[in-house]
Amino acid sequence: MRHWMIAHAVDDFYQGLVPASIPFFVLDRGYSYTAAAGLALAATLGSSLPQPLTGVIADRRPMLWLAPAGLALAGIAAGLSGLVPAYAVVWLLLLLSGLGVAAFHPAAGRDARRDAGGSAAAMSLFAAGGSIGFFLAPALVTPALVTLGIGATALFIPPAVLMAFVLSRHQQRRRVAAHAAAAPAGPDRWVAFSLLTSLEVVRSIVFFGMNTFIALFWIGHHGASPSVGGVALTAFLGGGVLGTLLGGRLADRWGEVRVIRIGSAAAIPALALVRFTPNMWIGLVCALVAGVAVNVPFAVLVKLGQDYLPARPGTAAGVTLGLAVTIGGMFAPLLGAIADRWGTATVLGVLCVVPVVAFALSLALPQPRRQQPSGPRSAAAASGGSDRSRG
């Protein structure tokens, strides 16, 4: 699974590159805030809306080249965006970068599930890769652009090309296993998947809300410096990586639904500690804990979604990794309006309550049906079994 973890990290790095580079488009090119918001919109539209359709296509055709090609497009287009002078071309390149992300996620989610062999811990490695990439983007992009200007986005093209090549070679080696993949075990359960998607939207509201406002809360409520506010954001995002990995391991021991319920419930007091702890330094530890709690269900939701739609793992990944996450992010402007009127402390107070909805939805999730693992060994066994049944 290390190929998928690294590939997901590289791919989502370019999702993080866009917001990290937008201030430099404003400074270096003189773009208005409206124009800058348009660039963010281009990347978001490209990466979110096509993912369910891409997932449907990935479920109907093997297309093992789709994930490497999407990764390469995401990186090349984002890297070139800082080199072209015309706004319309920059907008188009960021749209294309988003489309590359949209091509990568469903196909990669489907094929990572194949290699995971039914293990939630293995799928958590794949999911954590995305969190790592998004976490590293501002840390690497900002110093480069501060030193060299917006054209330095081109420095980040090679990782995408290199990883796309490595992933393509990996896919070629796995072609036989993919061809012999086990037949779906049981019918698709759309009602259960709809509940799970709603839960992922709620979780994403909390994640994006904290991602947007935790540093501002530290600055405005605690009177901290911007650098300390950045440490709070780093603690929350770092906890997210740990929570994603922890959730997968716990799910293999305790079951997916139970871990989703535990994580959804734990997020409530964890976020309350961030909001109400008076000491900002102790609050940094609370931010780390909150990041863990909010993200414990993340990888488990991705795998459980594929369990609910065993015949459509690409579609399930496209929704849980793409569409549902983006819909959650669209609530950030509403939280911004609350912050403008009542302050960031009120926003964090609201975010303490939102996980209650997630926990209520988790109580309605049905247990997944026991399925034959889809790893290489079981795939071969399933292929042999189907040959005997045809005989």
Side-chain angles (χ1 to χ4, degrees), residues 140-237:
L140 298 179
V141 172
T142 300
L145 270 57
V146 166
T147 304
L148 302 173
I150 191 64
T153 57
L155 296 175
F156 300 101
I157 294 177
V161 176
L162 176 61
M163 194 62 219
F165 174 75
V166 172
L167 190 59
S168 179
R169 294 291 299 272
H170 172 74
Q171 289 288 72
Q172 290 176 5
R173 290 194 297 269
R174 305 292 291 184
R175 187 177 298 275
V176 174
H179 180 72
D188 293 329
R189 304 166 70 184
W190 288 102
V191 173
F193 184 74
S194 298
L195 285 170
L196 180 141
T197 301
S198 300
L199 197 159
E200 173 59 23
V201 169
V202 174
R203 191 204 69 86
S204 297
I205 292 172
V206 176
F207 176 79
F208 280 104
M210 291 293 290
N211 192 42
T212 304
F213 292 102
I214 188 171
L216 296 173
F217 172 75
W218 245 253
I219 295 169
H221 182 75
H222 289 303
S225 66
S227 60
V228 176
V231 172
L233 174 59
T234 300
F236 179 75
L237 293 176

Side-chain angles (χ1 to χ4, degrees), residues 69-370:
L71 174 56
L73 177 61
I76 292 172
L80 291 176
S81 66
L83 298 179
V84 297
Y87 177 83
V89 181
V90 175
W91 194 94
L92 180 60
L93 284 170
L94 293 182
L95 178 68
L96 289 174
S97 180
L99 290 174
V101 172
F104 173 84
H105 275 138
R110 176 201 64 189
D111 296 338
R113 177 180 174 84
R114 173 201 70 202
D115 290 354
S119 167
M123 282 301 292
S124 72
L125 293 175
F126 169 71
S131 301
I132 292 170
F134 199 86
F135 170 77
L136 289 177
L140 298 179
V141 172
T142 300
L145 270 57
V146 166
T147 304
L148 302 173
I150 191 64
T153 57
L155 296 175
F156 300 101
I157 294 177
V161 176
L162 176 61
M163 194 62 219
F165 174 75
V166 172
L167 190 59
S168 179
R169 294 291 299 272
H170 172 74
Q171 289 288 72
Q172 290 176 5
R173 290 194 297 269
R174 305 292 291 184
R175 187 177 298 275
V176 174
H179 180 72
D188 293 329
R189 304 166 70 184
W190 288 102
V191 173
F193 184 74
S194 298
L195 285 170
L196 180 141
T197 301
S198 300
L199 197 159
E200 173 59 23
V201 169
V202 174
R203 191 204 69 86
S204 297
I205 292 172
V206 176
F207 176 79
F208 280 104
M210 291 293 290
N211 192 42
T212 304
F213 292 102
I214 188 171
L216 296 173
F217 172 75
W218 245 253
I219 295 169
H221 182 75
H222 289 303
S225 66
S227 60
V228 176
V231 172
L233 174 59
T234 300
F236 179 75
L237 293 176
V241 176
L242 296 176
T244 302
L245 294 171
L246 177 64
R249 293 189 176 275
L250 292 179
D252 280 342
R253 294 186 177 185
W254 298 345
E256 289 95 339
V257 173
R258 179 182 295 180
V259 169
I260 291 171
R261 291 171 180 168
I262 291 173
S264 300
I268 301 169
L271 291 167
L273 284 173
V274 176
R275 167 61 183 86
F276 296 106
T277 297
N279 185 292
M280 68 176 176
W281 302 109
I282 298 175
L284 293 176
V285 178
C286 298
L288 176 70
V289 174
V292 172
V294 169
N295 285 276
V296 159
F298 179 43
V300 187
L301 287 167
V302 175
K303 181 183 181 298
L304 186 59
Q306 293 177 324
D307 290 342
Y308 286 154
L309 300 185
R312 295 173 174 84
T315 301
V319 173
T320 54
L321 288 170
L323 186 62
V325 171
T326 302
I327 292 174
M330 289 179 178
F331 282 82
L334 175 59
L335 296 174
I338 294 173
D340 285 335
R341 181 156 186 159
W342 292 293
T344 56
T346 302
V347 171
L348 262 70
V350 171
L351 293 176
C352 292
V353 178
V354 173
V356 174
V357 180
F359 179 68
L361 289 169
S362 72
L363 295 177
L365 290 177
Q367 295 293 335
R369 294 190 177 100
R370 189 177 298 277

